[in-house]
Amino acid sequence: MFNPTVQVIAAQPKVLTPPDISFEAILKHFPGLAEAEAVCMTGSIAAGWGNAFSDIDLYAFSDKELDLPIDETMETWPGADSSGVRWHNWMGVYDNARVDLKVWPTSTLTTALEPYLATEVEFCSMGDFLQDFVYRLDVAMPLKNEEFFGRMKELIAGSSYPRARARRLKADVENRLTDVAGQLDAGDDRTARVSAALAAATIADAALVLSGELCRREKWLVRRLEKTPQCGITVEDYVTTILDGARPGESDAATARRMARWTQAHLVRLEDAFLSAS
C-alpha cells in the first residue's frame, strides 16, 4: 500500500500579496547580488503575464561565485547543458514568494548563440533549456546594469537564431500535416484532429517567432498572439478556428480538414519569411 507523507517546509499564507520586487528590496534578502555584473527579472512577471502564484525568476550574471542566502526554504545545485554551458541554481522563498534564481557566466549568451552569429543557420539545433534561456533574456527586466541587457537583446536580434528556429517549426508543421493526411486516409479521424490542432499551434508559434516573439511555453500561446498582432494571426481567428474545436454537426474528419487547411494557408503566407536570410 502506498502511504505518502507530506512535510511542509515553508507554509504559504492564506492570502498571497505581491512582494516588493525592486532591486533595493531584493538586495536585502540577496546581498550577494551586489557583486554580480548584471541582474534581471524574467519569466512570466517580466512578460506581464504573472499572477499571485507566479515564481519570481531572477537571472544574475557573474564570473565569480556569489554569496547566496542559506535557510530552511532553499535548495541549491549546479546546472549544466550538453553544449558545455554551466550555471548555478538557487531556489527558495522571498517575502512569501517562490524565487528561482540562476547565476550564469557573463559570456553565456555569446556561447549559446555562437553558431548563429557567424552564419545563417538553416535549422535550430539549440536544446530546449538554452532556447528558454534566450527567450528569458529577450524579455528581461534589468535590475542592475541595463546596458548589459541591451547588448544581449541586440545580440539575439542580430543572430540567425530566430529564423533558424522558425524554419525548424515550419518543418514540424509540414510533418504534422502529413500525419493528418495519413491518419484521415487510415480512418483514424480523432487522431487526425489532434494532429491538425498541433499543426495549427505550431504554425502560430512559427508566425510569432518570425515576428520576434520567442517564448517557448505552449500555455502562453493565446497571450502571445494577443501581444503580437503583427504575426498575422489574431486571437479571435485562432480561438474560433482551432480552440473552439468542432462546429455543430461537424465530424472529426471535417474538423481535422478545416484546421489543416487553415494551417496550410498560413504556411503559404509565411513562405517568403521562412526563406529569408536576413
Side-chain angles (χ1 to χ4, degrees):
M1 181 179 293
F2 180 57
N3 293 309
T5 59
V6 176
Q7 179 181 2
V8 178
I9 297 175
Q12 292 293 304
K14 292 183 178 180
V15 178
L16 294 174
T17 55
D20 184 345
I21 53 177
S22 66
F23 191 49
E24 293 76 12
I26 289 172
L27 275 180
K28 292 178 181 178
H29 192 76
F30 300 96
L33 293 183
E35 301 300 316
E37 175 74 16
V39 182
C40 72
M41 185 172 302
T42 186
S44 59
I45 293 177
W49 302 331
N51 56 60
F53 296 94
S54 296
D55 289 350
I56 297 174
D57 294 294
L58 297 176
Y59 276 7
F61 291 84
S62 176
D63 292 325
K64 60 183 179 181
E65 186 175 347
L66 300 180
D67 186 19
L68 299 175
I70 298 175
D71 59 42
E72 71 279 3
T73 73
M74 55 77 67
E75 52 184 323
T76 183
W77 68 97
D81 183 79
S82 58
S83 66
V85 171
R86 297 181 179 276
W87 64 93
H88 186 79
N89 298 279
W90 187 99
M91 186 176 289
V93 173
Y94 157 72
D95 199 11
N96 292 324
R98 195 73 178 166
V99 173
D100 184 355
L101 166 63
K102 290 181 172 60
V103 181
W104 307 87
T106 56
S107 62
T108 300
L109 184 62
T110 303
T111 301
L113 288 180
E114 183 178 8
Y116 307 90
L117 297 173
T119 60
E120 181 68 28
V121 178
E122 183 175 8
F123 293 118
C124 178
S125 60
M126 187 184 295
D128 290 348
F129 188 84
L130 281 186
Q131 287 188 42
D132 189 61
F133 166 78
V134 172
Y135 159 68
R136 287 171 181 266
L137 266 189
D138 194 52
V139 299
M141 292 175 55
L143 297 174
K144 178 182 180 182
N145 197 345
E146 185 172 355
E147 192 269 338
F148 175 91
F149 295 103
R151 294 199 311 271
M152 297 301 100
K153 293 183 182 185
E154 289 176 359
L155 206 61
I156 296 168
S159 73
S160 65
Y161 166 75
R163 295 183 297 279
R165 189 176 151 212
R167 294 186 196 108
R168 173 58 64 190
L169 290 167
K170 174 181 181 286
D172 291 342
V173 172
E174 293 168 338
N175 288 335
R176 285 169 174 169
L177 289 175
T178 300
D179 288 340
V180 173
Q183 290 155 355
L184 287 172
D185 186 63
D188 190 359
D189 297 345
R190 289 183 176 179
T191 305
R193 179 175 162 180
V194 172
S195 295
L198 289 171
T202 307
I203 195 63
D205 194 6
L208 287 161
V209 171
L210 287 170
S211 297
E213 214 299 305
L214 302 179
C215 180
R216 286 183 41 80
R217 296 286 187 251
E218 293 87 350
K219 65 182 179 181
W220 297 120
L221 183 58
V222 173
R223 297 289 290 270
R224 293 167 65 205
L225 291 172
E226 186 177 44
K227 172 187 173 184
T228 320
Q230 66 270 26
C231 78
I233 299 175
T234 66
V235 172
E236 181 180 6
D237 183 22
Y238 186 77
V239 170
T240 58
T241 307
I242 307 301
L243 287 190
D244 284 350
R247 292 168 178 171
E250 190 175 54
S251 66
D252 286 329
T255 302
R257 290 189 182 94
R258 174 172 55 78
M259 290 180 176
R261 285 193 295 269
W262 181 90
T263 301
Q264 287 172 322
H266 284 290
L267 195 59
V268 171
R269 175 179 68 84
L270 294 167
E271 190 67 24
D272 287 346
F274 286 125
L275 296 175
S276 173
S278 61

